[in-house]
Amino acid sequence: MKNIALLTSGGDAPGMNAAIRAVVLTAHHYNFNITGYFHGYNGLIHNESKSLSLTDVNGIIGRGGTILKSARCPAMLTPQGIQQAVASLEKDQIDALIVIGGDGSFNGLIEISLLWQGQVIGIPGTIDNDIDHTDFTIGFSTAVNTAIEAIDKIRDTADAFERVFIVELMGRNSGHITFNVGISSAAEQILSFENFDCADTTARLTELSEDIKRVQTNRHASYLIVIAENLWPDGCSSLAQQLTEITGIDCTPCILGYIQRGGSPVAKDRLLATKLGVASVQAINEEKTHLMIGEQNNAVVFIELIEAVKHQKKVNSQLIKAQKDILSVTNQTQI
Ligand code: ATP
């Protein structure tokens, strides 16, 4: 018999509920007690928890968000906060802690493990897909699909009026969503951390303006730029305004924002979340610890937590090169 604690932390991601369900079902399979802590690490610090039954996870596989709620928890960045979290784990006689979240959440788990003897397991759940050593994180596929659906609609109206749209996508400081969505939406341009240097702002403005004028004059069609959040100085609206002023053509900004986080998880996320959720409790049963449960080439992998947070996962270099050399409209000189 083991007592397992489970929490979701950092940005919520579609598929977190599917992972919670898989953890709870597997824990019950092994006759382990499973306790959910609410609002990320805050639940540990402030003793907000609930024993999770099979009924609690009935019907949640298709729901976005997380039934355990999520939150940032600044207290975890202080030694006192970490000590409080550890004190709760000891008071509640927890043997193993599973955290579903991003690299920040994993860093919290590593800090806890320095003061606490229990088993610690991380499940990668973030729409950003920026965690190293796992092909995908839970929530990424749904976020990409949601953004593509939204952009297809924007494209319809942009085509009708031959308009220029600049769509800002989430991803914090990585371009996985931006590149995957941009390429899948046949965006004329993709601007992301991997292909843009802030020092080049003036040169890129000139390039983009000339390209927009050329394509709009010759093709009479829409022109779509997708851009990563936190990239352009003062954001996507500022880029739109600058391009409008230089080209004399209306460039409309559109920030997709939080719709990328919500919605029912796609099959790929439900399956990934279920596989990782089951494997996390199996790992605990086998006395494994200090691991992230990830997936590579369709197989579950066990990665040292410390390795998982060492580097941010890079965007596939073939995607970046294909966009630069072939797919970007700048290459289509016949237009
Ligand atoms: P996402 O990628 O979706 O934003 P994340 O897990 O990376 O998810 P963060 O906001 O970076 O999100 O981290 C979530 C929480 O993890 C923080 O609010 C904090 O409680 C804890 N945390 C982050 N970094 C550390 C750290 N270095 N030490 C201790 N705890 C941390």
Side-chain angles (χ1 to χ4, degrees), residues 9-13 16 40-42 71-78 82 100-109 111-112 125-128 130-131 172 261:
S9 167
D12 59 299
M16 279 184 163
Y41 288 109
N42 296 292
R72 319 276 173 191
C73 174
M76 279 293 288
L77 303 177
T78 66
I82 296 162
I100 308 171
D103 58 337
S105 302
F106 291 173
N107 276 318
L109 195 51
E111 291 293 336
I112 284 176
T126 163
I127 62 168
D128 300 340
D130 56 351
I131 299 184
R172 254 205 196 178
R261 277 202 192 286

Side-chain angles (χ1 to χ4, degrees), residues 196-199 201-202 227 230-239 242:
F196 174 80
D197 183 344
C198 263
T201 307
T202 312
I227 181 167
N230 303 318
L231 180 80
W232 196 265
D234 296 325
C236 142
S237 301
S238 158
L239 171 61
Q242 287 168 299

Side-chain angles (χ1 to χ4, degrees), residues 80-112:
Q80 297 87 332
I82 296 162
Q83 279 157 13
Q84 276 176 293
V86 168
S88 287
L89 290 165
E90 284 170 351
K91 177 181 74 60
D92 295 347
Q93 298 187 311
I94 299 297
D95 299 298
L97 170 61
I98 301 175
V99 170
I100 308 171
D103 58 337
S105 302
F106 291 173
N107 276 318
L109 195 51
I110 290 167
E111 291 293 336
I112 284 176

Side-chain angles (χ1 to χ4, degrees), residues 9-327:
S9 167
D12 59 299
M16 279 184 163
N17 277 328
I20 293 170
R21 172 180 174 271
V23 168
V24 171
L25 261 60
T26 314
H28 281 263
H29 169 81
Y30 287 108
N31 282 324
F32 294 159
N33 292 319
I34 174 89
T35 304
Y37 288 79
F38 292 92
H39 306 112
Y41 288 109
N42 296 292
L44 268 185
I45 291 174
H46 302 296
N47 282 310
E48 274 185 276
S49 67
K50 175 188 189 304
S51 172
L52 294 171
S53 69
L54 294 176
T55 316
D56 288 320
V57 296
N58 201 15
I60 67 167
I61 196 168
R63 278 168 51 190
T66 153
I67 60 162
L68 292 179
K69 314 288 181 179
S70 194
R72 319 276 173 191
C73 174
M76 279 293 288
L77 303 177
T78 66
Q80 297 87 332
I82 296 162
Q83 279 157 13
Q84 276 176 293
V86 168
S88 287
L89 290 165
E90 284 170 351
K91 177 181 74 60
D92 295 347
Q93 298 187 311
I94 299 297
D95 299 298
L97 170 61
I98 301 175
V99 170
I100 308 171
D103 58 337
S105 302
F106 291 173
N107 276 318
L109 195 51
I110 290 167
E111 291 293 336
I112 284 176
S113 76
L114 298 176
L115 301 180
W116 182 61
Q117 299 307 310
Q119 293 165 269
V120 290
I121 300 284
I123 298 180
T126 163
I127 62 168
D128 300 340
N129 202 33
D130 56 351
I131 299 184
D132 213 5
H133 302 292
T134 184
D135 290 343
F136 295 101
T137 56
I138 297 166
F140 171 69
S141 302
T142 306
V144 167
N145 276 22
T146 303
I148 291 169
E149 278 175 21
I151 289 179
D152 283 349
K153 293 182 173 103
I154 291 169
R155 180 70 91 173
D156 287 346
T157 175
D159 271 341
F161 272 76
E162 298 172 4
R163 275 202 172 126
V164 180
F165 268 87
I166 300 160
V167 181
E168 184 182 287
L169 295 163
M170 279 182 159
R172 254 205 196 178
N173 54 2
S174 81
H176 291 275
I177 292 181
T178 303
F179 262 95
N180 283 271
V181 170
I183 287 179
S184 307
S185 311
E188 274 66 26
Q189 300 289 351
I190 296 175
L191 291 183
S192 186
F193 300 94
E194 297 76 10
N195 66 356
F196 174 80
D197 183 344
C198 263
D200 294 342
T201 307
T202 312
R204 283 309 277 274
L205 260 181
T206 311
E207 244 174 61
L208 285 171
S209 310
E210 282 168 11
D211 205 56
I212 289 170
K213 282 195 277 188
R214 173 180 68 85
V215 175
Q216 287 266 296
T217 310
N218 299 340
R219 194 172 66 174
H220 298 289
S222 60
Y223 190 106
L224 176 73
I225 301 173
V226 296
I227 181 167
E229 67 177 348
N230 303 318
L231 180 80
W232 196 265
D234 296 325
C236 142
S237 301
S238 158
L239 171 61
Q241 195 182 342
Q242 287 168 299
L243 287 173
T244 302
E245 278 164 17
I246 298 170
T247 59
I249 299 169
D250 256 357
C251 299
T252 310
C254 177
I255 299 171
L256 282 195
Y258 281 85
I259 67 161
Q260 290 162 93
R261 277 202 192 286
S264 179
V266 296
K268 197 166 166 183
D269 276 326
R270 296 183 195 199
L271 286 167
L272 176 67
T274 302
K275 275 193 213 173
L276 302 189
V278 168
S280 66
V281 180
Q282 287 173 335
I284 288 168
N285 186 46
E286 290 162 14
E287 301 300 335
K288 293 187 168 111
T289 184
H290 292 75
L291 296 174
M292 174 187 81
I293 315 294
E295 191 185 54
Q296 292 173 9
N297 301 322
N298 234 6
V300 169
V301 290
F302 302 92
I303 306 292
E304 292 290 333
L305 265 177
I306 204 84
E307 288 301 318
V309 298
K310 236 179 214 166
H311 304 288
Q312 188 179 59
K313 186 172 73 187
K314 293 202 163 80
V315 175
N316 183 315
S317 58
Q318 287 165 341
L319 278 189
I320 300 170
K321 188 162 165 36
Q323 175 65 21
K324 177 170 178 287
D325 296 346
I326 300 168
L327 304 173

